[in-house]
Amino acid sequence: MSINSLETAVKYSEELDKLFSQKSATGFFADNLLAKKFVGAKTVIIPDINFQGLADYDRDTGFTRGAITVSNTSYTMQMDRARSLQIDREDMDETGIASLAGKILGEYVRTKVVPECDAYVISKLAGLAATRSNVIDGDIKKPFEALCTLIRQVQEQVGYDEELVAFIDGSIYALLQNSPEIARQITVSEFKQGEVNLRVNSLNGVALIPVVGDRMKTAYNFNNNEAGGFMPIANAKEVYMLVCPKKGAHLVRKTEKMRVFTPEQNIDADAYKFDYRIYYDVFVKKSGLDAVWAWLSPEVIVSAQPQDVTAEFGAVEGTLSVTASVEGGSVLSYQWYKAADKNGNDAVKIGGATADTYELPETLEEGTHYFFAKIIVDGASSTNSSVATVTVE
């Protein structure tokens, strides 16, 4: 099969869709769309069915007439994301480019597309829970109790025969596993996600899905600059746990067919070019708005951010500091990082820099450097300070 054939582009798109469904923590929400109709590229119509309850049967007049209301609600997908990737001709000859491209594109979906979609879906559901005051005040020392409370709140809305899922922040999941209560009740069960049957831990039939902390925030900036990607907004809360019915949300994805160009077709470079584009969003029907519950971290208020510094090469002096406070009786700790850019990308932990201040090393090299502090709440959730620029001249 030629690399520039339509069949190749279609095959890549299909395989990447399958990979997305397998690797995404929230990908199973895409299984909930029993019927949908796209209107244009970014708008989808999803039916929402409502019934009237039972009424008394009358021996004279018979049945009381009831209505079935089918509301075709239009939803517009907010996330229209894309990236063009290139593989230089010299990196692989014609006979091997298809295999190499498949591996590279698969890794791109796994490491970039899936994390962003998970972060968006969970943040939107957590935002819904917060807006409707469907949140609990859990105790970080009693994660099992908090989980049971969330499950009970959702079951009061949907009943006890509805399949539920619990997304759990990685650090909280570790605490949960050490809870003596859950050790006696946790089981392994099958969990269907797309065409794949997974084995997951469950508590009384509720699937427990651990999610890395970077994807468990209440709000993100989805960058539109050259670097792309996403990052939490300032003062975003950590989503410790989020519980909802497995069928409670609807993930709509529309992946445009992959565009593939050979070096001869690529006018920008002597390279194979792959254009990837995806529309996606998650929606909750009106009937399920109160079936999404969350436990969020305490709010961290950063009252003073680290300031930019200009220093003299060979005699660097200066201190970066951050001032923060947290609600309740929570405890704050700190960790400073050095980043590759103003967006905080490719951050590297600075050993021993665990106070609210960081003294710049005198031997800092000439050039521009970027630093920020991670503010950690109760050893579990965290938020980042703004990135300070240190210019050494």
Side-chain angles (χ1 to χ4, degrees):
M1 187 186 299
S2 174
I3 189 64
N4 64 335
S5 68
L6 176 61
E7 290 80 6
T8 301
V10 172
K11 183 173 179 61
Y12 280 144
S13 299
E14 291 174 349
E15 292 302 316
L16 294 179
D17 279 350
K18 290 180 183 178
L19 180 64
F20 182 100
S21 297
Q22 294 172 10
K23 297 299 183 181
S24 171
T26 59
F28 64 87
F29 283 136
D31 301 338
N32 297 335
L33 292 174
L34 298 180
K36 65 179 185 295
K37 179 181 178 182
F38 278 100
V39 181
K42 298 175 64 175
T43 300
V44 62
I45 295 177
I46 303 175
D48 196 349
I49 304 175
N50 292 307
F51 303 92
Q52 290 179 304
L54 291 170
D56 289 343
Y57 179 82
D58 190 286
R59 291 179 178 269
D60 295 322
T61 61
F63 294 92
T64 301
R65 181 177 297 178
I68 299 175
T69 304
V70 180
S71 302
N72 287 317
T73 306
S74 296
Y75 300 93
T76 300
M77 291 182 284
Q78 300 298 319
M79 303 302 288
D80 183 358
R81 306 284 279 171
R83 179 62 78 181
S84 184
L85 303 171
Q86 294 192 143
I87 305 175
D88 193 272
R89 183 200 293 268
E90 297 302 320
D91 289 338
M92 185 62 69
D93 59 26
E94 178 74 17
T95 59
I97 188 65
S99 176
L100 177 63
K103 293 178 181 178
I104 290 176
L105 294 171
E107 189 70 2
Y108 184 76
V109 168
R110 187 184 70 84
T111 61
K112 299 299 181 181
V113 180
V114 166
E116 176 179 307
C117 185
D118 282 345
Y120 176 80
V121 170
I122 291 172
S123 66
K124 189 168 181 179
L125 294 179
L128 170 64
T131 299
R132 299 185 70 85
S133 298
N134 295 337
V135 293
I136 66 166
D137 293 324
D139 186 339
I140 195 73
K141 298 178 181 178
K142 300 177 180 178
F144 179 78
E145 181 180 301
L147 176 59
C148 291
T149 300
L150 286 172
I151 293 172
R152 184 176 70 252
Q153 293 288 357
V154 176
Q155 287 176 332
E156 287 181 357
Q157 295 294 323
V158 302
Y160 294 88
D161 59 345
E162 188 78 22
E163 188 176 3
L164 307 185
V165 292
F167 299 102
I168 306 174
D169 175 82
S171 58
I172 302 299
Y173 190 74
L175 295 175
L176 187 65
Q177 287 182 306
N178 291 327
S179 301
E181 302 95 336
I182 202 170
R184 298 190 296 267
Q185 301 184 47
I186 197 167
T187 59
V188 178
S189 60
E190 286 194 355
F191 186 83
K192 185 172 177 57
Q193 182 160 309
E195 300 177 1
V196 180
N197 287 320
L198 305 176
R199 303 285 289 178
V200 300
N201 288 333
S202 63
L203 174 67
N204 297 328
V206 179
L208 309 180
I209 302 177
V211 184
V212 296
D214 287 344
R215 308 182 200 179
M216 294 285 284
K217 305 289 185 181
T218 54
Y220 293 88
N221 284 324
F222 295 91
N223 300 323
N224 191 32
N225 52 24
E226 182 179 354
F230 66 99
M231 59 189 306
I233 66 170
N235 297 331
K237 291 186 177 184
E238 190 94 0
V239 183
Y240 282 159
M241 293 182 183
L242 187 142
V243 178
C244 67
K246 187 180 180 183
K247 297 181 179 179
H250 307 270
L251 175 60
V252 183
R253 288 188 294 111
K254 185 178 182 183
T255 305
E256 291 296 314
K257 291 295 183 290
M258 180 78 65
R259 300 198 309 170
V260 180
F261 301 90
T262 64
E264 290 74 24
Q265 297 167 326
N266 185 359
I267 63 174
D268 298 320
D270 185 24
Y272 294 92
K273 183 168 174 280
F274 302 86
D275 289 346
Y276 178 85
R277 187 179 182 187
I278 180 173
Y279 307 103
Y280 69 91
D281 213 325
V282 64
F283 308 106
V284 178
K285 294 181 179 180
K286 294 179 181 179
S287 57
L289 293 176
D290 285 321
V292 181
W293 281 74
W295 173 26
L296 306 179
S297 67
E299 182 178 4
V300 176
I301 300 174
V302 181
S303 55
Q305 299 280 5
Q307 300 298 306
D308 295 345
V309 173
T310 300
E312 181 181 350
F313 176 63
V316 175
E317 293 183 357
T319 300
L320 303 177
S321 64
V322 61
T323 303
S325 59
V326 64
E327 58 189 19
S330 297
V331 178
L332 294 180
S333 57
Y334 303 86
Q335 175 63 59
W336 286 87
Y337 287 78
K338 185 176 181 181
D341 56 34
K342 189 66 176 178
N343 293 321
N345 292 317
D346 299 327
V348 177
K349 185 187 298 183
I350 302 173
T354 56
D356 57 358
T357 61
Y358 171 62
E359 186 173 349
L360 296 172
E362 295 181 0
T363 56
L364 199 61
E365 296 179 356
E366 191 173 9
T368 304
H369 308 270
Y370 305 94
F371 298 90
F372 69 88
K374 186 179 290 292
I375 306 163
I376 306 163
V377 183
D378 293 329
S381 67
S382 64
T383 187
N384 293 343
S385 72
S386 60
V387 178
T389 300
V390 177
T391 305
V392 180
E393 301 174 339

